[in-house]
Amino acid sequence: MEFDEVVRRRRMVRNYDPDRPVPADVLDKIVRHGLRAPSAGFSQGWGFLVLTEPADRDLYWSSTTEGAAVEPVWKGDWLTRMRNAPALIVCLANKSAYLDRYAQPDKGWTDKDEAHWPVPYWDIDTGFAALLMHLSAVDEGLGSCFFGLPVPTIAKFKDAFGVPEEFNPIGTLTVGYRAPDKKSPSLKRGHRPVDEVVHHGRWTAPDPSRSARAE
Ligand SMILES: Cc1cc2nc3c(=O)[nH]c(=O)nc-3n(C[C@H](O)[C@H](O)[C@H](O)COP(=O)(O)O)c2cc1C
């Protein structure tokens, strides 16, 4: 598929054919593409948990969707359809890998102070990798959806899968062959107009009253 087409066809898919597994070599290729993502200082402080066995997927869904503190938004019918996905890739970020990497002599933040970081690059880099996997799935004729984990379930999820303390799940990708889906109500918002979002040269047009005041 041409890259333009991959970008144009990309959308979050929330229903899958439960009887059609993703071939292991295809899933492996998708995951490996993600590992080509850029990362600050080439830290690569990410980790991915790939779940294809039904019992593992069941454990994922039970550990992340059950519990009194899970808000209703996590219990909608979109999640029921998501459970049809034959593969899940949980994307996890490791902040300490970045703090360690940037304490090295070529970076020099030996105090490991998080205040140096304009934004959490560990989360950004893991997100970049997730997007590459998402696009690779589209390129393979598959569907995929990135979605978050409810905060109150994160400890339970990590415990269930033996995830080390320093890794934090930033979200999960479902991957599989597409099945008839419902359109997300969010799509009613439409794409924001380019002119509203993209600014060339200056953020705002020059304000004539400002130059008048200066004279
Ligand atoms: C960080 C992030 C979190 C998201 N979380 C959810 C989610 O929890 N549930 C869901 O159905 N979609 C989720 N989405 C998908 C968005 O709803 C979707 O990208 C958006 O509505 C635009 O639709 P499109 O990607 O199909 O163009 C998430 C997307 C991103 C980037």
PDB file of all heavy atoms in Angstrom, residues 194-212:
ATOM      1  N   VAL A 194      -7.543  23.230   8.894  1.00  0.00           N
ATOM      2  CA  VAL A 194      -6.074  23.367   8.898  1.00  0.00           C
ATOM      3  C   VAL A 194      -5.670  24.764   9.358  1.00  0.00           C
ATOM      4  O   VAL A 194      -4.762  24.921  10.185  1.00  0.00           O
ATOM      5  CB  VAL A 194      -5.507  23.058   7.495  1.00  0.00           C
ATOM      6  CG1 VAL A 194      -4.003  23.306   7.442  1.00  0.00           C
ATOM      7  CG2 VAL A 194      -5.814  21.623   7.095  1.00  0.00           C
ATOM      8  N   ASP A 195      -6.361  25.798   8.859  1.00  0.00           N
ATOM      9  CA  ASP A 195      -5.975  27.183   9.186  1.00  0.00           C
ATOM     10  C   ASP A 195      -6.096  27.501  10.672  1.00  0.00           C
ATOM     11  O   ASP A 195      -5.479  28.424  11.169  1.00  0.00           O
ATOM     12  CB  ASP A 195      -6.837  28.186   8.404  1.00  0.00           C
ATOM     13  CG  ASP A 195      -6.508  28.134   6.928  1.00  0.00           C
ATOM     14  OD1 ASP A 195      -5.499  27.493   6.586  1.00  0.00           O
ATOM     15  OD2 ASP A 195      -7.270  28.726   6.131  1.00  0.00           O
ATOM     16  N   GLU A 196      -6.972  26.759  11.333  1.00  0.00           N
ATOM     17  CA  GLU A 196      -7.160  27.003  12.762  1.00  0.00           C
ATOM     18  C   GLU A 196      -6.021  26.372  13.574  1.00  0.00           C
ATOM     19  O   GLU A 196      -5.717  26.785  14.679  1.00  0.00           O
ATOM     20  CB  GLU A 196      -8.501  26.361  13.156  1.00  0.00           C
ATOM     21  CG  GLU A 196      -9.019  26.713  14.518  1.00  0.00           C
ATOM     22  CD  GLU A 196     -10.319  25.950  14.796  1.00  0.00           C
ATOM     23  OE1 GLU A 196     -11.309  26.159  14.049  1.00  0.00           O
ATOM     24  OE2 GLU A 196     -10.336  25.127  15.726  1.00  0.00           O
ATOM     25  N   VAL A 197      -5.410  25.357  12.989  1.00  0.00           N
ATOM     26  CA  VAL A 197      -4.447  24.534  13.729  1.00  0.00           C
ATOM     27  C   VAL A 197      -3.007  24.847  13.339  1.00  0.00           C
ATOM     28  O   VAL A 197      -2.102  24.810  14.182  1.00  0.00           O
ATOM     29  CB  VAL A 197      -4.745  23.033  13.437  1.00  0.00           C
ATOM     30  CG1 VAL A 197      -3.796  22.129  14.196  1.00  0.00           C
ATOM     31  CG2 VAL A 197      -6.186  22.685  13.748  1.00  0.00           C
ATOM     32  N   VAL A 198      -2.807  25.166  12.062  1.00  0.00           N
ATOM     33  CA  VAL A 198      -1.444  25.343  11.554  1.00  0.00           C
ATOM     34  C   VAL A 198      -1.164  26.825  11.407  1.00  0.00           C
ATOM     35  O   VAL A 198      -1.972  27.568  10.828  1.00  0.00           O
ATOM     36  CB  VAL A 198      -1.272  24.628  10.194  1.00  0.00           C
ATOM     37  CG1 VAL A 198       0.165  24.752   9.693  1.00  0.00           C
ATOM     38  CG2 VAL A 198      -1.673  23.163  10.305  1.00  0.00           C
ATOM     39  N   HIS A 199      -0.046  27.270  11.925  1.00  0.00           N
ATOM     40  CA  HIS A 199       0.312  28.692  11.912  1.00  0.00           C
ATOM     41  C   HIS A 199       1.638  28.837  11.173  1.00  0.00           C
ATOM     42  O   HIS A 199       2.604  28.164  11.509  1.00  0.00           O
ATOM     43  CB  HIS A 199       0.433  29.211  13.345  1.00  0.00           C
ATOM     44  CG  HIS A 199      -0.772  28.888  14.173  1.00  0.00           C
ATOM     45  ND1 HIS A 199      -1.881  29.693  14.231  1.00  0.00           N
ATOM     46  CD2 HIS A 199      -1.062  27.787  14.925  1.00  0.00           C
ATOM     47  CE1 HIS A 199      -2.788  29.126  15.009  1.00  0.00           C
ATOM     48  NE2 HIS A 199      -2.319  27.961  15.437  1.00  0.00           N
ATOM     49  N   HIS A 200       1.658  29.669  10.170  1.00  0.00           N
ATOM     50  CA  HIS A 200       2.885  29.872   9.402  1.00  0.00           C
ATOM     51  C   HIS A 200       3.546  31.187   9.815  1.00  0.00           C
ATOM     52  O   HIS A 200       2.898  32.234   9.794  1.00  0.00           O
ATOM     53  CB  HIS A 200       2.574  29.888   7.903  1.00  0.00           C
ATOM     54  CG  HIS A 200       2.120  28.553   7.386  1.00  0.00           C
ATOM     55  ND1 HIS A 200       3.003  27.579   6.957  1.00  0.00           N
ATOM     56  CD2 HIS A 200       0.890  28.007   7.253  1.00  0.00           C
ATOM     57  CE1 HIS A 200       2.334  26.514   6.580  1.00  0.00           C
ATOM     58  NE2 HIS A 200       1.035  26.733   6.756  1.00  0.00           N
ATOM     59  N   GLY A 201       4.770  31.115  10.162  1.00  0.00           N
ATOM     60  CA  GLY A 201       5.532  32.333  10.449  1.00  0.00           C
ATOM     61  C   GLY A 201       5.305  32.885  11.845  1.00  0.00           C
ATOM     62  O   GLY A 201       6.233  33.007  12.628  1.00  0.00           O
ATOM     63  N   ARG A 202       4.079  33.262  12.163  1.00  0.00           N
ATOM     64  CA  ARG A 202       3.713  33.757  13.499  1.00  0.00           C
ATOM     65  C   ARG A 202       2.420  33.068  13.911  1.00  0.00           C
ATOM     66  O   ARG A 202       1.627  32.688  13.069  1.00  0.00           O
ATOM     67  CB  ARG A 202       3.432  35.277  13.488  1.00  0.00           C
ATOM     68  CG  ARG A 202       4.619  36.166  13.195  1.00  0.00           C
ATOM     69  CD  ARG A 202       5.577  36.245  14.388  1.00  0.00           C
ATOM     70  NE  ARG A 202       6.637  37.197  14.121  1.00  0.00           N
ATOM     71  CZ  ARG A 202       7.702  36.932  13.347  1.00  0.00           C
ATOM     72  NH1 ARG A 202       7.830  35.753  12.767  1.00  0.00           N
ATOM     73  NH2 ARG A 202       8.632  37.861  13.170  1.00  0.00           N
ATOM     74  N   TRP A 203       2.201  32.957  15.213  1.00  0.00           N
ATOM     75  CA  TRP A 203       0.972  32.295  15.672  1.00  0.00           C
ATOM     76  C   TRP A 203      -0.256  33.112  15.282  1.00  0.00           C
ATOM     77  O   TRP A 203      -1.245  32.603  14.768  1.00  0.00           O
ATOM     78  CB  TRP A 203       1.017  32.100  17.195  1.00  0.00           C
ATOM     79  CG  TRP A 203      -0.076  31.190  17.676  1.00  0.00           C
ATOM     80  CD1 TRP A 203      -1.333  31.539  18.057  1.00  0.00           C
ATOM     81  CD2 TRP A 203      -0.006  29.761  17.775  1.00  0.00           C
ATOM     82  NE1 TRP A 203      -2.058  30.431  18.406  1.00  0.00           N
ATOM     83  CE2 TRP A 203      -1.259  29.316  18.240  1.00  0.00           C
ATOM     84  CE3 TRP A 203       0.996  28.813  17.534  1.00  0.00           C
ATOM     85  CZ2 TRP A 203      -1.551  27.985  18.473  1.00  0.00           C
ATOM     86  CZ3 TRP A 203       0.703  27.483  17.760  1.00  0.00           C
ATOM     87  CH2 TRP A 203      -0.551  27.076  18.215  1.00  0.00           C
ATOM     88  N   THR A 204      -0.183  34.450  15.538  1.00  0.00           N
ATOM     89  CA  THR A 204      -1.333  35.303  15.229  1.00  0.00           C
ATOM     90  C   THR A 204      -0.944  36.299  14.141  1.00  0.00           C
ATOM     91  O   THR A 204       0.230  36.601  13.967  1.00  0.00           O
ATOM     92  CB  THR A 204      -1.762  36.119  16.462  1.00  0.00           C
ATOM     93  OG1 THR A 204      -0.597  36.733  17.004  1.00  0.00           O
ATOM     94  CG2 THR A 204      -2.411  35.250  17.499  1.00  0.00           C
ATOM     95  N   ALA A 205      -1.963  36.834  13.429  1.00  0.00           N
ATOM     96  CA  ALA A 205      -1.706  37.894  12.459  1.00  0.00           C
ATOM     97  C   ALA A 205      -1.270  39.131  13.248  1.00  0.00           C
ATOM     98  O   ALA A 205      -1.676  39.298  14.401  1.00  0.00           O
ATOM     99  CB  ALA A 205      -2.980  38.182  11.673  1.00  0.00           C
ATOM    100  N   PRO A 206      -0.430  39.973  12.654  1.00  0.00           N
ATOM    101  CA  PRO A 206       0.019  41.169  13.382  1.00  0.00           C
ATOM    102  C   PRO A 206      -1.169  42.006  13.841  1.00  0.00           C
ATOM    103  O   PRO A 206      -2.162  42.136  13.129  1.00  0.00           O
ATOM    104  CB  PRO A 206       0.859  41.915  12.336  1.00  0.00           C
ATOM    105  CG  PRO A 206       1.110  40.955  11.239  1.00  0.00           C
ATOM    106  CD  PRO A 206       0.077  39.891  11.301  1.00  0.00           C
ATOM    107  N   ASP A 207      -1.079  42.505  15.058  1.00  0.00           N
ATOM    108  CA  ASP A 207      -2.159  43.311  15.627  1.00  0.00           C
ATOM    109  C   ASP A 207      -1.843  44.781  15.331  1.00  0.00           C
ATOM    110  O   ASP A 207      -0.904  45.345  15.903  1.00  0.00           O
ATOM    111  CB  ASP A 207      -2.207  43.024  17.145  1.00  0.00           C
ATOM    112  CG  ASP A 207      -3.224  43.886  17.873  1.00  0.00           C
ATOM    113  OD1 ASP A 207      -3.870  44.719  17.212  1.00  0.00           O
ATOM    114  OD2 ASP A 207      -3.361  43.711  19.093  1.00  0.00           O
ATOM    115  N   PRO A 208      -2.640  45.439  14.424  1.00  0.00           N
ATOM    116  CA  PRO A 208      -2.326  46.818  14.024  1.00  0.00           C
ATOM    117  C   PRO A 208      -2.324  47.787  15.212  1.00  0.00           C
ATOM    118  O   PRO A 208      -1.527  48.715  15.260  1.00  0.00           O
ATOM    119  CB  PRO A 208      -3.434  47.189  13.033  1.00  0.00           C
ATOM    120  CG  PRO A 208      -4.290  45.997  12.886  1.00  0.00           C
ATOM    121  CD  PRO A 208      -3.870  44.944  13.831  1.00  0.00           C
ATOM    122  N   SER A 209      -3.168  47.532  16.234  1.00  0.00           N
ATOM    123  CA  SER A 209      -3.242  48.463  17.364  1.00  0.00           C
ATOM    124  C   SER A 209      -1.917  48.471  18.139  1.00  0.00           C
ATOM    125  O   SER A 209      -1.538  49.457  18.728  1.00  0.00           O
ATOM    126  CB  SER A 209      -4.392  48.092  18.283  1.00  0.00           C
ATOM    127  OG  SER A 209      -4.118  46.854  18.878  1.00  0.00           O
ATOM    128  N   ARG A 210      -1.195  47.352  18.081  1.00  0.00           N
ATOM    129  CA  ARG A 210       0.067  47.262  18.802  1.00  0.00           C
ATOM    130  C   ARG A 210       1.104  48.189  18.190  1.00  0.00           C
ATOM    131  O   ARG A 210       1.763  48.932  18.872  1.00  0.00           O
ATOM    132  CB  ARG A 210       0.588  45.830  18.737  1.00  0.00           C
ATOM    133  CG  ARG A 210       0.608  45.197  20.067  1.00  0.00           C
ATOM    134  CD  ARG A 210       1.446  43.954  20.006  1.00  0.00           C
ATOM    135  NE  ARG A 210       0.802  42.921  20.798  1.00  0.00           N
ATOM    136  CZ  ARG A 210       1.206  41.685  20.837  1.00  0.00           C
ATOM    137  NH1 ARG A 210       2.213  41.298  20.103  1.00  0.00           N
ATOM    138  NH2 ARG A 210       0.590  40.811  21.594  1.00  0.00           N
ATOM    139  N   SER A 211       1.227  48.161  16.823  1.00  0.00           N
ATOM    140  CA  SER A 211       2.231  49.005  16.181  1.00  0.00           C
ATOM    141  C   SER A 211       1.824  50.475  16.306  1.00  0.00           C
ATOM    142  O   SER A 211       2.664  51.354  16.466  1.00  0.00           O
ATOM    143  CB  SER A 211       2.439  48.605  14.734  1.00  0.00           C
ATOM    144  OG  SER A 211       1.198  48.528  14.087  1.00  0.00           O
ATOM    145  N   ALA A 212       0.491  50.756  16.317  1.00  0.00           N
ATOM    146  CA  ALA A 212       0.033  52.140  16.473  1.00  0.00           C
ATOM    147  C   ALA A 212       0.478  52.663  17.834  1.00  0.00           C
ATOM    148  O   ALA A 212       0.945  53.787  17.959  1.00  0.00           O
ATOM    149  CB  ALA A 212      -1.476  52.207  16.342  1.00  0.00           C
TER     150      ALA A 212
END
